[in-house]
Amino acid sequence: MEIYKKSVVVLILASIFGGLAPGFARFAMKQFSPFSIMALSSLISLITLLILIGGVRNLYVNKKDIIFLILAMTFWAINSILFFHGLQGDNRAMATVTSVLYLFSPIIVLIISVMLKKLKFSFGKITGIIFSISGVFVIISQSLTDTTQILVRPVGGFQGNILILGGVLAISFYWLISDELTKKRNYSAFLVTIYSNLGIFLLATPFFIKEAASGGFYLFPLDPRAVIGIIGNSLLISVLTVYLYQWGIKHSSAFAGASVLYISPLSTALFAFLFLEEKISWVLIIGAILIAIGVFFTTVLPAIKGG
């Protein structure tokens, strides 16, 4: 019971830190492109994690599990690509909207799990799915019809939001596979986190090299916000947050993981309000409430009844 309580605290911290990811990404984009951010952040993360774990000798993976590891690396890399590109440009997603849309991930995990296991949807789960999809529709439809400048749009650009939704889909598959690796196949959270960052590094580095060779990458003059963004994204997000979430899920339950997701948009909104000049609109609030209700019906309520 004591380890369960610790894991819940760890998940709360992970959710708070995770909510800062869109803000750090926007900071890093003051100077660097998405692929540059991914390459630099993953390199820093890998070096840090390898030092902490004691070198490559502790990275052994059973041959029969390699396919799961490759899938986890792939989906985490896809999530990162869509996440950073969704936050870039004149048609980008807003940081707070990004955090709210990622609340939809447990719903996707539920749908995939039910389909794979050929289970039936209960009335409560169907209700939750309807609420969550309605919330996503409210946000996406608003961004599709809004043609004002990006800084005054209440929910950001349509293209950016669609890319973020793609990232939500990818990370949902990632959490399913990483759950298989850490719980059923008993790999450490450190190991899964290292390989997740390795996937990003392998995918982003060729694009980064091409960009640097063409003169699209520069270090000086260095924007202090970009430095904060790179350090925050690599150490606080890619290392600490991912590890804490992996560890917390392994020692608690999917219920605990889903329950603390509601915290992320709060830390995102605070960061975005203070440093990114983003405003919170009623459209976003309504969409967030609908998605949150959906997550409650599909994950939290069944766990309460079961317990």
Side-chain angles (χ1 to χ4, degrees):
M1 188 63 183
E2 188 65 28
I3 190 69
Y4 184 87
K5 291 179 180 179
K6 288 182 180 179
S7 66
V8 171
V9 174
V10 164
L11 285 170
I12 290 173
L13 289 174
S15 188
I16 293 172
F17 294 148
L20 302 177
F24 284 135
R26 288 286 308 283
F27 264 24
M29 286 176 191
K30 298 293 182 181
Q31 180 168 341
F32 304 119
S33 70
F35 282 118
S36 296
I37 297 170
M38 292 168 61
L40 293 172
S41 297
S42 58
L43 178 60
I44 295 171
S45 302
L46 283 170
I47 293 172
T48 304
L49 287 164
L50 287 172
I51 292 173
L52 292 173
I53 202 174
V56 295
R57 65 182 181 275
N58 294 315
L59 297 180
Y60 172 77
V61 177
N62 194 302
K63 289 183 179 180
K64 65 181 181 180
D65 299 328
I66 289 178
I67 183 63
F68 288 97
L69 201 59
I70 292 175
L71 285 172
M73 292 166 64
T74 302
F75 281 117
W76 183 250
I78 292 172
N79 163 67
S80 298
I81 291 172
L82 296 174
F83 172 79
F84 284 110
H85 282 85
L87 286 165
Q88 182 192 41
D90 294 333
N91 205 20
R92 65 179 179 267
M94 309 302 284
T96 308
V97 173
T98 297
S99 190
V100 168
L101 289 177
Y102 268 89
L103 280 178
F104 192 51
S105 178
I107 305 298
I108 298 176
V109 170
L110 169 69
I111 294 172
I112 296 171
S113 299
V114 170
M115 291 174 64
L116 290 177
K117 296 177 183 179
K118 297 181 179 179
L119 302 175
K120 292 183 179 180
F121 286 102
S122 65
F123 176 77
K125 286 184 171 60
I126 293 175
T127 302
I129 291 170
I130 292 173
F131 267 106
S132 292
I133 292 176
S134 299
V136 171
F137 177 78
V138 167
I139 294 172
I140 296 300
S141 61
Q142 173 65 26
S143 66
L144 178 62
T145 57
D146 196 339
T147 58
T148 56
Q149 292 184 350
I150 186 68
L151 289 177
V152 296
R153 293 182 194 176
V155 292
F158 176 72
Q159 180 181 329
N161 287 336
I162 291 298
L163 289 174
I164 293 300
L165 273 180
V168 173
L169 180 61
I171 203 173
S172 300
F173 279 102
Y174 170 79
W175 289 127
L176 280 169
I177 297 167
S178 63
D179 181 71
E180 172 76 21
L181 287 167
T182 56
K183 280 189 172 181
K184 297 180 181 179
R185 298 173 189 269
N186 205 33
Y187 288 104
S188 70
F190 254 127
L191 183 138
V192 177
T193 305
I194 287 174
Y195 278 106
S196 298
N197 280 282
L198 179 61
I200 296 175
F201 180 75
L202 293 174
L203 190 146
T205 299
F207 293 95
F208 170 64
I209 293 174
K210 181 180 179 182
E211 182 180 306
S214 63
F217 174 81
Y218 67 92
L219 276 177
F220 301 102
L222 195 59
D223 191 319
R225 292 170 297 179
V227 176
I228 293 172
I230 291 292
I231 294 175
N233 187 69
S234 58
L235 299 182
L236 190 60
I237 305 301
S238 297
V239 174
L240 186 60
T241 300
V242 176
Y243 171 75
L244 289 177
Y245 199 82
Q246 294 277 10
W247 189 92
I249 289 292
K250 182 174 182 178
H251 293 90
S252 60
S253 64
F255 156 64
S259 298
V260 301
L261 282 174
Y262 302 100
I263 302 172
S264 290
L266 299 179
S267 57
T268 306
L270 181 61
F271 188 102
F273 176 76
L274 292 175
F275 303 111
L276 301 177
E277 299 181 356
E278 288 190 8
K279 297 179 181 180
I280 309 300
S281 68
W282 282 109
V283 174
L284 175 57
I285 292 173
I286 292 171
I289 290 174
L290 288 171
I291 295 173
I293 291 174
V295 175
F296 176 81
F297 270 108
T298 55
T299 58
V300 180
L301 187 60
I304 293 174
K305 288 182 178 180

